[in-house]
Amino acid sequence: MADTPPLATLHRTLRRQFGFSSLREGQEEVIRSVLAGRDTLAILPTGAGKSLCYQLPALHLRGTTVVVSPLIALMKDQVDKLQELGIEAAQVNSALSAREEAAALAAIDEERSEFVFTTPERLTDPEFLALLRGTTIDLFVVDEAHCLSQWGHDFRPAYLALRGALEALGRPRVLALTATATEPVIEDIVRHLELVDPAILQTGIYRPNLRLEVVPVRSEEEKLAELPRLVANGGGTGIVYAATIKHCLAAHQHLAALGFAVAPYHGRLPARERQAHQERFMAGELQAIVATNAFGLGVDKPDIRFVVHLDMPGSLESYYQEAGRAGRDGEPARCVLLYLPADRRTQLYFLRGNLRRHRDDEKAALDRERLERMVHYGQTALCRWRTLLEGFGEPAEEALPEGRCCHCDRCERPLEAPSPPRADEGAAAVDRLPPPVGEADPAALTAGDALVLPVYGRGEVAAVDGEELVVAFADGETRRFRR
């Protein structure tokens, strides 16, 4: 098509305009699809350079690119970076003063802006849509597209209005971007945006520079006791995520009292204070920012060296989205989960609250299933990356041909298979396996099977040797049983 420039032209723009010598895995395929005029859904892992997937092709298209983003702070960051590169970009959102908004609208009206960043809420404004309709829209970008789906981990109802906005703008080509999307989420994105014969491109979630590890703890106090060690040994700036504001404040106060350079970030802080703390974090002035999940969406800091989860998230999707903010520069980084089995109750409390608000039994069941996959990740005796890949429905064999990653705690410290009892021990040296709770058949158990045992609690079969098996439990202990 006429839109598609030669590869050499794209690479020249890449070098001269953006300062990169080459594209990352997956980027060129997405860019080619956009330039060919296809609706495209790109699922690229955090740190894979999703912004370039629309910024580079947009400079080779005639017209204005509209970018829908869920966060105003993310918009401002993108606009500032483009303007530093000499590229005209405007943002339209509720944070602008009357004068700033008037200037932005004038730039759009006069077609001086190569990019227009806005929120899904603003695209429900008929006057704003009429202004955009008077310009040539070459590309409509939906960032964080998983927000469209009720099956996604961060559903935003305002995103559902984008279908109407697209119709009002004459159905320009669409590029939807996200870091994580299961099959139901993909189906929702395609349906809600009414994508026509879309190219669905994904590179997989595996990032070998991220070391995954789980530290089992027995109490909230033990979490706080472990935290200073993890921050001190983090190798640079990092993020500590907490599930509640209460835990966020407790962790921040604990670290600050020990002399760590830390700052809190949560939804109850005044906007100006949140912004100040984020700017200190971005400038590298903090050892860690201690935050709820209100922090991080679109934060573009490539040298985050660690992400610690003080509390277990409600799903693998949320965990990967947050942990994946580490190591975007491709250098080694640590992703640590402090695993307390009781955290499952906290997440169930959140799920019950969502059910009371929405009364969607199907979604409630799916959310419970997601939570159980997260619990399984925390308890597994197998390779963490393999567990994560399988949790996302990706074939682990492609990313991990040896069956393990060699850079997670389980691969580096594998649980040993049971050794046969000594002659003087006899069979009585090994406890008999108590009847598992539920329908698990002791005779059929194999490595990797989950089970719940009376007294011992939830565990997973780590190894099997004839009639003996090793079970790894949530508290970090392993025990040997005979069937």
Side-chain angles (χ1 to χ4, degrees):
M1 293 180 63
D3 278 337
T4 307
L7 186 60
T9 302
L10 284 174
H11 281 276
R12 186 161 56 247
T13 305
L14 180 69
R15 288 192 304 271
R16 292 179 179 176
Q17 193 70 65
F18 297 99
F20 297 120
S21 58
S22 62
L23 292 166
R24 297 180 187 176
E25 181 186 4
Q27 287 179 324
E28 184 172 321
E29 194 175 6
V30 175
I31 290 167
R32 282 293 185 188
S33 178
V34 169
L35 289 173
R38 287 192 73 180
D39 283 347
T40 305
L41 169 56
I43 306 156
L44 302 175
T46 301
K50 290 188 287 293
S51 298
L52 196 63
C53 288
Y54 64 81
Q55 291 172 355
L56 181 57
L59 297 183
H60 293 273
L61 297 173
R62 295 179 180 176
T64 300
T65 294
V66 174
V67 183
V68 182
S69 176
L71 289 181
I72 292 172
L74 173 58
M75 264 182 247
K76 182 179 184 305
D77 181 59
Q78 293 291 337
V79 169
D80 289 347
K81 288 184 176 180
L82 286 167
Q83 290 178 344
E84 287 172 8
L85 295 172
I87 299 170
E88 285 294 325
Q91 58 177 321
V92 180
N93 55 59
S94 60
L96 301 181
S97 67
R99 179 178 297 179
E100 289 170 332
E101 180 167 325
L105 296 177
I108 296 168
D109 186 44
E110 296 164 13
E111 300 198 54
R112 288 187 277 111
S113 292
E114 187 73 49
F115 296 90
V116 174
F117 291 80
T118 193
T119 60
E121 289 81 4
R122 184 54 67 103
L123 285 169
T124 63
D125 178 0
E127 290 185 13
F128 184 57
L129 281 174
L131 177 67
L132 290 175
R133 197 162 49 241
T135 67
T136 302
I137 305 297
D138 55 27
L139 177 63
F140 190 95
V141 180
V142 181
D143 202 7
E144 308 296 346
H146 61 272
C147 295
L148 267 164
S149 173
Q150 65 170 331
W151 313 119
H153 58 277
D154 196 19
F155 176 54
R156 307 286 180 93
Y159 267 68
L160 298 180
L162 295 181
R163 179 192 303 178
L166 280 166
E167 289 299 325
L169 297 176
R171 293 294 313 173
R173 79 190 84 187
V174 176
L175 170 60
L177 295 164
T178 184
T180 58
T182 57
E183 276 304 316
V185 175
I186 290 172
E187 291 169 7
D188 260 7
I189 293 171
V190 171
R191 182 172 68 256
H192 286 308
L193 294 178
E194 294 183 337
L195 302 183
V196 178
D197 186 29
I200 299 175
L201 308 173
Q202 48 189 324
T203 60
I205 66 168
Y206 181 52
R207 292 174 58 196
N209 66 309
L210 299 186
R211 184 185 188 276
L212 304 180
E213 54 189 294
V214 174
V215 178
V217 294
R218 293 176 173 84
S219 65
E220 296 296 339
E221 292 74 21
E222 194 173 338
K223 285 182 183 179
L224 292 181
E226 287 283 352
L227 193 54
R229 175 183 65 84
L230 295 172
V231 174
N233 297 331
T237 301
I239 306 172
V240 176
Y241 276 112
T244 66
I245 293 176
K246 179 182 177 182
H247 286 184
C248 174
L249 294 175
H252 170 254
Q253 291 167 2
H254 182 62
L255 290 170
L258 294 173
F260 288 91
V262 291
Y265 191 106
H266 56 78
R268 291 184 191 164
L269 280 177
R272 185 173 296 179
E273 193 172 347
R274 287 201 308 270
Q275 183 63 29
H277 292 177
Q278 179 168 332
E279 288 174 359
R280 289 185 64 201
F281 174 77
M282 298 298 288
E285 297 173 6
L286 301 175
Q287 285 173 275
I289 193 160
V290 186
T292 63
N293 61 6
F295 177 81
L297 195 61
V299 169
D300 189 15
K301 183 172 173 59
D303 59 345
I304 296 172
R305 296 273 65 87
F306 66 91
V307 172
V308 175
H309 275 80
L310 189 71
D311 305 309
M312 181 177 66
S315 68
L316 284 177
E317 291 92 337
S318 294
Y319 180 71
Y320 179 77
Q321 185 90 355
E322 292 161 7
R325 289 171 185 137
R328 290 187 177 186
D329 55 4
E331 296 299 313
R334 295 177 70 188
C335 304
V336 185
L337 169 65
L338 291 169
Y339 180 74
L340 178 65
D343 283 347
R344 179 176 177 274
R345 290 199 297 269
T346 302
Q347 294 298 335
L348 285 173
Y349 173 79
F350 292 154
L351 293 183
R352 284 193 291 270
N354 288 336
L355 183 58
R356 281 194 296 271
R357 286 192 296 272
H358 303 295
R359 303 307 300 167
D360 188 330
D361 291 340
E362 186 180 359
K363 186 176 190 304
L366 183 64
D367 287 343
R368 284 288 294 269
E369 182 184 327
R370 282 196 185 118
L371 176 57
E372 295 309 320
R373 285 203 298 267
M374 187 69 237
V375 170
H376 174 68
Y377 173 86
Q379 295 177 346
T380 186
L382 304 177
C383 168
R384 303 281 181 202
W385 267 114
R386 183 182 184 90
T387 304
L388 198 59
L389 287 161
E390 291 174 348
F392 277 90
E394 293 192 13
E397 293 74 17
E398 293 182 12
L400 309 172
E402 296 181 5
R404 59 194 184 100
C405 67
C406 301
H407 47 264
C408 75
D409 57 343
R410 285 307 192 205
C411 288
E412 292 174 4
R413 298 191 301 275
L415 296 170
E416 295 182 359
S419 55
R422 298 194 308 268
D424 59 345
E425 287 181 325
V430 182
D431 291 337
R432 180 173 291 279
L433 183 75
V437 176
E439 300 179 359
D441 178 5
L445 289 171
T446 61
D449 285 347
L451 73 169
V452 179
L453 299 180
V455 180
Y456 298 98
R458 188 178 296 273
E460 181 176 300
V461 178
V464 177
D465 183 14
E467 288 304 302
E468 293 186 2
L469 45 83
V470 173
V471 179
F473 291 95
D475 61 3
E477 297 288 330
T478 59
R479 294 177 175 86
R480 188 159 48 125
F481 299 94
R482 59 189 172 89
R483 303 191 218 226

